[in-house]
Amino acid sequence: NPSTSKPSVGCNATSEVVEHTNETNALQSLLRDVPMLEHLVESQLNALAAKLTTQEVEAEAAIITQGETGDGRFFLAEGTAAAVVDTVGVVKNYFLGDYFGEVALLRDQPRSASVLAGSKGCRCWVLDQEQAAAEEEAALELTMLPPQCMSSSS
């Protein structure tokens, strides 16, 4: 009887909230494991996670291109990708949780390799250059503890 059926909107909304929560938890877990971010405290990691955008990439499409200016850092959220150097070929494969794109930002030089999505495409979390610089500055500040906070080894 069509008049007694209930719309499924509530179920879909709940499903979306659970999916978003699971994705947020996965992202925060991934960020905790990134060596360059290991000095960030929980609140900084949460702030960083909130600044990331998502990029869907079609199968075998370029995520970054060798020789271009670095404009962001990428964290692989789903699928696979491969770093390819023009004269060499594949130099590294990336999987869930891996990150790339930081070398060009840290060294302020063009991209040293292209990174291509895998055969089924991929999804990346992206941190643009300005946000990456702000987070690195925050991490650096945490490592500059006053002398009284440092333990003596004598």
Side-chain angles (χ1 to χ4, degrees), residues 48 51-53 55 70-75 101 105 111 125-136:
L48 175 60
K51 293 176 184 176
L52 296 174
T53 58
Q55 179 179 343
D71 59 355
R73 179 174 302 161
F74 300 80
F75 302 88
L105 298 178
R111 301 279 189 199
W125 289 302
V126 183
L127 182 65
D128 74 32
Q129 184 173 7
E130 286 182 25
Q131 293 166 331
E135 294 308 320
E136 287 166 11

Side-chain angles (χ1 to χ4, degrees), residues 61-68 81-86 89-92 94 100 111-117:
I63 303 167
I64 61 176
T65 303
Q66 184 174 343
E68 288 185 353
V84 179
V85 175
D86 288 344
V90 175
V91 294
K92 181 170 177 128
Y94 296 105
F100 51 91
R111 301 279 189 199
S112 58
S114 294
V115 176
L116 308 178

Side-chain angles (χ1 to χ4, degrees), residues 30-31 33-34 74-79 94-99 125:
L30 175 141
L31 293 175
D33 292 337
V34 174
F74 300 80
F75 302 88
L76 196 57
E78 189 176 294
Y94 296 105
F95 303 95
L96 175 67
D98 288 341
Y99 61 95
W125 289 302

